[in-house]
């Protein structure tokens, strides 16, 4: 990877960490399309590994607002669906992974924009967990289903619960990817290399997360996701 591409990736990671640390979603929607453009081999291991320290930090920072009941149902369904996400990686050639990430990102953003207001129940939690397990394991993108479930809950509850669900799921996905040799230890080195960028974004989010206009930030993330996904789909 060239220095220029590494710099582009570092900026994307820092911005994504700030956005997710502030609004509760957006890291994978921002980083996965950029990573897929820079090097399709970065997806999904780099994205998953980069999110672990960020979600650990956010979950701890706002642990008092964690929805344990919802997190339990989501996590159970997410873990059950993880093998299906791995199967997608076996079926999709690496040369087509960028296209798949682009399509997944655009669909996720469109669904997030179009979804009506609703009160989540057990079925919503299980459904969101299952879809997240499928898409996040295959592409690193899993936030939109969880954002849909919690989009009308208090921001602190959304941030803490989504972070906790992501944290457990990311570890499970990485363990499965390494166990089945769909990932190599060297891929973790890139995530470690950009850990300072993650830390900068997370630290900046700490300064504004309690007073940020979450609706505008969410709209920004989804519009960015649409544009990035379309770039990947068109192979630009």
């Amino acid at each position: 990877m060239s220095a220029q591409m590494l710099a582009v990736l570092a900026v994307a990671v820092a911005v994504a960490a700030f956005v997710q640390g502030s609004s509760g979603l957006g890291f994978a929607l921002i980083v996965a399309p950029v990573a897929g453009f820079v090097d399709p081999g970065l997806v999904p291991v780099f994205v998953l590994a980069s999110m672990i320290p960020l979600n650990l930090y956010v979950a701890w920072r706002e642990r008092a607002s964690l929805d344990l009941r919802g997190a339990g149902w989501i996590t159970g369904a997410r873990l059950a669906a993880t093998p299906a996400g791995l199967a997608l990686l076996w079926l999709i050639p690496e040369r087509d992974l960028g296209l798949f990430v682009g399509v997944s990102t655009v669909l996720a953003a469109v669904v997030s924009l179009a979804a009506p207001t609703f009160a989540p129940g057990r079925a919503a939690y299980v459904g969101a967990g299952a879809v997240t397990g499928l898409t996040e394991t295959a592409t690193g993108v899993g936030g939109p289903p969880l954002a849909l479930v919690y989009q009308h809950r208090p921001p602190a509850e959304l941030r803490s619960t989504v972070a906790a669900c992501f944290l457990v799921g990311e570890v499970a996905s990485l363990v499965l990817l390494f166990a089945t040799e769909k990932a190599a230890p060297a891929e973790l080195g890139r995530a470690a290399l950009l850990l300072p960028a993650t830390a900068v974004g997370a630290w900046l989010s700490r300064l504004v997360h309690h007073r940020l206009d979450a609706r505008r930030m969410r709209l920004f993330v989804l519009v960015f996701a649409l544009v990035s996904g379309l770039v990947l789909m068109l192979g630009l």
Side-chain angles (χ1 to χ4, degrees):
M1 187 185 302
S2 68
Q4 291 86 350
M5 290 295 98
L6 187 62
V8 168
L9 199 55
V11 170
V13 167
V15 171
F18 169 74
V19 170
Q20 179 145 332
S22 304
S23 67
L25 72 152
F27 188 95
L29 282 173
I30 292 173
V31 173
V34 176
F37 180 76
V38 170
D39 178 3
L42 291 171
V43 181
V45 176
F46 172 80
V47 181
L48 291 169
S50 297
M51 291 179 70
I52 288 176
L54 173 65
N55 285 317
L56 180 61
Y57 166 71
V58 174
W60 175 258
R61 184 185 70 191
E62 303 194 65
R63 59 193 180 280
S65 301
L66 178 64
D67 174 20
L68 290 174
R69 176 177 175 272
W73 283 110
I74 289 169
T75 299
R78 193 245 183 268
L79 294 177
T82 296
L86 180 66
L88 282 178
L89 276 180
W90 285 104
L91 293 172
I92 300 171
E94 184 172 313
R95 65 179 182 276
D96 296 328
L97 192 57
L99 175 62
F100 183 73
V101 172
V103 172
S104 299
T105 303
V106 169
L107 288 177
V110 170
V111 170
S112 295
L113 284 167
T117 302
F118 70 98
R122 183 185 303 176
Y125 294 137
V126 171
V131 174
T132 296
L134 182 70
T135 61
E136 190 176 27
T137 303
T139 70
V141 178
L146 303 187
L148 285 175
V149 170
Y150 284 98
Q151 63 181 310
H152 302 296
R153 301 298 300 160
E157 182 179 323
L158 183 154
R159 287 191 296 265
S160 60
T161 308
V162 169
C165 292
F166 272 153
L167 184 60
V168 175
E170 286 149 10
V171 171
S173 292
L174 285 173
V175 167
L176 190 58
L177 288 167
F178 279 105
T180 55
E181 300 183 348
K182 288 296 290 182
E187 296 180 65
L188 297 179
R190 293 174 176 176
L193 183 64
L194 293 182
L195 189 58
T198 304
V200 167
W203 180 79
L204 289 174
S205 76
R206 177 177 175 270
L207 303 178
V208 302
H209 75 275
H210 55 286
R211 58 175 181 270
L212 195 69
D213 186 332
R215 289 187 177 182
R216 289 184 181 179
M217 180 63 77
R218 176 174 175 269
L219 182 61
F220 164 77
V221 170
L222 295 177
V223 170
F224 182 94
L226 284 170
V227 174
S228 301
L230 287 172
V231 168
L232 277 176
M233 290 168 61
L234 295 173
L236 300 178

